[in-house]
Amino acid sequence: MVGVQQDQEVGSSVWTVPNVISFLRLALVPVFAVLIVSHHDVWALIVLAFSGFTDWLDGVLARRLHQVSRLGQMLDPAADRLFIFVSLVGLAWRDVVPLWLVVVIVARDVMLMCLLPVLARHGYGPLEVSIVGKGGTFALLYAFPLLLLAEAPGVLGTVAHVVGWAFTFWGVGLYWLAGLQYVVQARKLVAADAAAGAA
């Protein structure tokens, strides 16, 4: 959940208000996929805007209601990544974005997925989302609706195209920078574990 403080107690509850909101966001992913592929752009933008609002809302509620949970810490970034992936595939399907952009973003997530079994063998779970990773995700989640809006004619489409691609390049840069930070962090954890075992 966005903005969760490090010192807040993390619970194991499943049916919390923030988690229900995250489940709702996950349920909207296939709805958004159908809308974007079928060219229902207005409704697709509404779903994206609602998803962005609930992404902010579940973080706020988690802090104020003291309902930060381990499940929520996994659901929220999972919903973000699914929306990014579905947006990318849908926009590429419609030739709004080039295929190389899909490859660049998906390759980063595949790289991080390869770290999970390595970390698991040493008793570690998924690494905590960094502020850089949150920034990259934020930029990409704003970029894709703007690129979709760029299909509109006139000044609105032109401005959305320029701003959308600015967010895209910033997002990709931050996304990969965070990914490399995760790799370095994972190597340090594994090295420290190996050194402790040898001792």
Side-chain angles (χ1 to χ4, degrees):
M1 294 159 194
V2 176
V4 172
Q5 296 179 358
Q6 299 294 327
D7 58 352
Q8 188 157 2
E9 183 178 353
V10 178
S12 58
S13 300
V14 174
W15 295 111
T16 64
V17 174
N19 286 356
V20 170
I21 293 174
S22 292
F23 281 125
L24 175 60
R25 290 181 65 220
L26 286 169
L28 286 175
V29 172
V31 175
F32 173 73
V34 171
L35 290 173
I36 195 170
V37 171
S38 58
H39 291 250
H40 290 88
D41 292 353
V42 173
W43 282 107
L45 286 169
I46 291 173
V47 170
L48 271 181
F50 180 75
S51 174
F53 170 73
T54 54
D55 186 25
W56 167 81
L57 180 64
D58 72 351
V60 171
L61 292 177
R63 293 190 300 274
R64 292 187 178 178
L65 299 177
H66 303 288
Q67 293 184 345
V68 178
S69 68
R70 299 188 188 282
L71 178 62
Q73 290 178 331
M74 292 187 293
L75 283 177
D76 191 63
D80 289 339
R81 285 186 174 87
L82 278 174
F83 263 107
I84 288 173
F85 178 74
V86 170
S87 299
L88 267 175
V89 172
L91 292 174
W93 177 270
R94 291 177 48 178
D95 293 324
V96 175
V97 299
L99 184 59
W100 64 260
L101 182 61
V102 180
V103 174
V104 166
I105 292 178
V106 171
R108 182 266 196 185
D109 285 336
V110 170
M111 178 185 71
L112 295 190
M113 286 177 62
C114 293
L115 290 178
L116 294 179
V118 176
L119 289 169
R121 283 200 300 270
H122 291 268
Y124 297 104
L127 297 175
E128 186 175 350
V129 179
S130 69
I131 188 65
V132 177
K134 290 177 181 178
T137 300
F138 173 86
L140 291 175
L141 288 174
Y142 272 78
F144 298 140
L146 286 168
L147 293 177
L148 185 59
L149 189 60
E151 296 294 284
V155 176
L156 177 62
T158 301
V159 173
H161 182 270
V162 173
V163 178
W165 275 106
F167 269 104
T168 299
F169 287 122
W170 271 107
V172 169
L174 291 173
Y175 211 56
W176 266 97
L177 176 59
L180 295 175
Q181 288 178 337
Y182 297 143
V183 171
V184 171
Q185 184 180 354
R187 288 185 62 184
K188 288 181 178 179
L189 290 172
V190 171
D193 188 60

